[in-house]
Amino acid sequence: MRLDPRLGGAAALRLLLAAHVVAAFEPITVGIAIGAASALTGYLSYKDLYCRFAECCRSERPLNASALKQDLEEKLFGQHLATEVILKALTGFKNNKNPKKPLTLSLHGWAGTGKNFVSQIVAENLHPKGLKSNFVHLFVSTLHFPHEQHIKLYQDQLQRWIRGNVSACAGSVFIFDEMDKLHPGVIDAIKPFLDYYEQIDGVSYRKAIFIFLSNAGGDLITKTALDFWRAGRKREDIQLKDLEAVLSVGVFNNKHSGLWHSGLIDRNLIDYFIPFLPLEYRHVKMCVRAEMKARGSAIDEDVVTRVAEEMTFFPKDEKIYSDKGCKTVQSRLDFY
Ligand SMILES: Nc1ncnc2c1ncn2[C@@H]1O[C@H](COP(=O)(O)OP(=O)(O)OP(=O)(O)O)[C@@H](O)[C@H]1O
Ligand SMILES: *[C@@H]1O[C@H](CO)[C@@H](O)[C@H](O)[C@H]1NC(C)=O
Ligand SMILES: CC(=O)N[C@H]1CO[C@H](CO)[C@@H](O)[C@@H]1O
Ligand SMILES: [Mg+2]
């Protein structure tokens, strides 16, 4: 059952009463009747009721920071920096009633270290339906923008989509995957939306969230992690500033890194750079356990060890970091 919010109060009341009557015959609608009854007694607002049946965009709804924190700490392994920065960025942005620009996050790191995984967690905490929400949009470069000769088309299409989507929901979330394979012209098309404008053609983009994912800088992040390891220092002691210095030379100032021909960095349009560290053997094991738990099977440490040992590790001598992070864990587990 879908209720239209534009219905007048009287019409809505008739609808709700109708649901109540039907409930006497049909058990499925009892839930609806309960909703109707509580609405009638003024217990639930009409909007609350409407939002039980249709997905609502509630850009003004506060972020539950403790739920996000718990999600990140429980589900994301070995990424203390990403956890810290994402939590800070999102709570700050959502607590700000009047942001001056949309929030833009750029996630960098080696394959299979959790970039898509984190975007999914973030999306779910902003819109309960997560990636399936009408207010969360995932664009994959190689899938949605594959042909160089069609750049102009992609640019127009993307601008139209973003304008349409943000008009429908100010708190829309846009995720751009495989940024390093994206033609710079495509990103140029969205640059105006990321800037400090109050509104563009009557639409304000300031409550939207843009998340960019890429492998750019992954090798430099890995090198820093390896330096720490070789010096006998703990992974958790790596700080943001240790990586910022490395990344700024290697990626941000490097116009040929395949990522930032677009001036997104020069114009300071990216709010946070979020590094993902390469995953170690112990993290791969944690991923296997998490996957077993998700499948509802008991955790068998023998299998955990076997799956983790099937993965390949680098560098050649020390074999510390998983080549593919946790990426193939799920399919490997199918064999057991
Ligand atoms: N740090 C992590 N903690 C927990 N699970 C992880 C982590 N990293 C990866 N995984 C698991 O591995 C799967 C693949 O990871 P994901 O797709 O997020 O990698 P990615 O960083 O996007 O890699 P790529 O750069 O190759 O796209 C995830 O769905 C998740 O189940
Ligand atoms: C926030 O999330 C926590 C943990 O999931 C939960 O216990 C709490 O009730 C939530 N708070 C609100 C206001 O929804
Ligand atoms: C109204 C509008 O333009 N909606 C668009 C939102 O973005 C998706 C792509 O994720 C488009 O398919 C919709 O048309
Ligand atoms: Mg990915």
Side-chain angles (χ1 to χ4, degrees), residues 62-68 70-71 125:
L63 172 78
N64 186 339
S66 52
L68 176 61
Q70 194 182 345
D71 268 358
N125 275 273

Short mmCIF file of all heavy atoms in Angstrom, two decimals, residues 62-68 70-71 125, ligand 2:
data_model
loop_
_atom_site.label_atom_id
_atom_site.label_comp_id
_atom_site.label_asym_id
_atom_site.label_seq_id
_atom_site.Cartn_x
_atom_site.Cartn_y
_atom_site.Cartn_z
N PRO A 62 19.16 13.13 11.83
CA PRO A 62 20.54 13.09 12.32
C PRO A 62 21.18 11.73 12.06
O PRO A 62 20.49 10.72 12.00
CB PRO A 62 20.42 13.39 13.81
CG PRO A 62 19.01 13.08 14.17
CD PRO A 62 18.18 13.26 12.93
N LEU A 63 22.49 11.74 11.90
CA LEU A 63 23.22 10.49 11.74
C LEU A 63 23.39 9.86 13.11
O LEU A 63 23.71 10.56 14.07
CB LEU A 63 24.59 10.80 11.13
CG LEU A 63 25.59 9.65 11.04
CD1 LEU A 63 25.23 8.76 9.87
CD2 LEU A 63 27.00 10.18 10.87
N ASN A 64 23.16 8.55 13.22
CA ASN A 64 23.43 7.87 14.49
C ASN A 64 24.92 7.52 14.51
O ASN A 64 25.34 6.49 13.99
CB ASN A 64 22.55 6.62 14.59
CG ASN A 64 22.68 5.96 15.95
OD1 ASN A 64 23.66 6.17 16.66
ND2 ASN A 64 21.69 5.16 16.32
N ALA A 65 25.70 8.42 15.12
CA ALA A 65 27.16 8.27 15.08
C ALA A 65 27.62 7.01 15.80
O ALA A 65 28.57 6.36 15.36
CB ALA A 65 27.82 9.50 15.68
N SER A 66 26.93 6.65 16.88
CA SER A 66 27.39 5.46 17.61
C SER A 66 27.12 4.19 16.81
O SER A 66 27.89 3.24 16.86
CB SER A 66 26.77 5.39 19.00
OG SER A 66 25.38 5.51 18.92
N ALA A 67 26.03 4.19 16.03
CA ALA A 67 25.76 3.03 15.18
C ALA A 67 26.81 2.91 14.08
O ALA A 67 27.30 1.82 13.79
CB ALA A 67 24.37 3.13 14.58
N LEU A 68 27.17 4.04 13.48
CA LEU A 68 28.20 4.02 12.44
C LEU A 68 29.54 3.56 13.02
O LEU A 68 30.24 2.73 12.43
CB LEU A 68 28.35 5.43 11.81
CG LEU A 68 29.45 5.58 10.77
CD1 LEU A 68 29.22 4.67 9.57
CD2 LEU A 68 29.57 7.02 10.31
N GLN A 70 30.05 1.72 15.63
CA GLN A 70 29.97 0.29 15.94
C GLN A 70 30.12 -0.55 14.67
O GLN A 70 30.85 -1.53 14.64
CB GLN A 70 28.63 0.02 16.61
CG GLN A 70 28.55 -1.34 17.27
CD GLN A 70 27.18 -1.58 17.89
OE1 GLN A 70 26.39 -0.63 18.08
NE2 GLN A 70 26.91 -2.82 18.21
N ASP A 71 29.44 -0.14 13.61
CA ASP A 71 29.54 -0.84 12.32
C ASP A 71 30.98 -0.90 11.84
O ASP A 71 31.49 -1.97 11.46
CB ASP A 71 28.71 -0.11 11.26
CG ASP A 71 27.29 -0.66 11.18
OD1 ASP A 71 26.99 -1.60 11.92
OD2 ASP A 71 26.50 -0.15 10.37
N ASN A 125 24.19 3.63 6.61
CA ASN A 125 23.98 4.47 7.78
C ASN A 125 23.30 5.79 7.42
O ASN A 125 22.73 6.45 8.28
CB ASN A 125 25.31 4.74 8.49
CG ASN A 125 25.66 3.62 9.46
OD1 ASN A 125 25.25 3.63 10.62
ND2 ASN A 125 26.37 2.60 8.98
C1 LIG B 2 21.88 4.45 17.61
O1 LIG B 2 22.45 3.19 17.42
C2 LIG B 2 22.62 2.45 18.62
C3 LIG B 2 23.45 1.22 18.30
O2 LIG B 2 23.00 0.56 17.14
C4 LIG B 2 21.24 2.12 19.19
O3 LIG B 2 21.36 1.36 20.35
C5 LIG B 2 20.51 3.43 19.47
O4 LIG B 2 19.20 3.16 19.89
C6 LIG B 2 20.48 4.32 18.22
N1 LIG B 2 19.97 5.63 18.58
C7 LIG B 2 19.00 6.23 17.93
C8 LIG B 2 18.63 7.57 18.38
O5 LIG B 2 18.40 5.70 17.00
#
